[in-house]
Amino acid sequence: MITQENENNKRVAKIIYLLKLKGLTQKQIADELGIKKQVVNNFIHGRIKSKRISTWIINNLGVTVNE
C-alpha cells in the first residue's frame, strides 16, 4: 500500500539526490531566493509550502512538487 508519507519520502529523496548530483546546496537555493536555509529545508521535507521555492525546484531540478 502506497501512503502519502511514502510518496513524500520519495519526493524528498529525489530532490536531495538531484541537489547532490548537481553539486547544489540548500543554502545556495536560500541565498539565491533571499531566504533562510531552514525555510528551504522545511519546504523540501513538506513542512511548509512556497511558490517561490517550488518554482525554483521545478525550473532547476525538473521535479514537480505538490503545492
Side-chain angles (χ1 to χ4, degrees), residues 4 10 15 21 24 26 28-29 33-34 36-37 39 41 49 54 59 64 67:
Q4 184 65 29
K10 287 179 184 179
I15 291 170
L21 190 65
L24 297 169
Q26 292 177 24
Q28 288 171 308
I29 297 170
L33 296 176
K36 293 183 179 185
K37 176 188 160 250
V39 175
N41 184 275
K49 296 181 180 188
S54 176
N59 290 338
T64 301
E67 286 296 325

Side-chain angles (χ1 to χ4, degrees), residues 18-31:
L18 290 171
L19 286 173
K20 288 181 181 182
L21 190 65
K22 293 183 178 242
L24 297 169
T25 66
Q26 292 177 24
K27 182 165 180 359
Q28 288 171 308
I29 297 170
D31 289 346

Side-chain angles (χ1 to χ4, degrees), residues 11 14-15 54 57-58 61-66:
R11 184 185 63 82
K14 185 174 185 178
I15 291 170
S54 176
I57 289 175
I58 291 168
L61 301 180
V63 176
T64 301
V65 293
N66 297 332

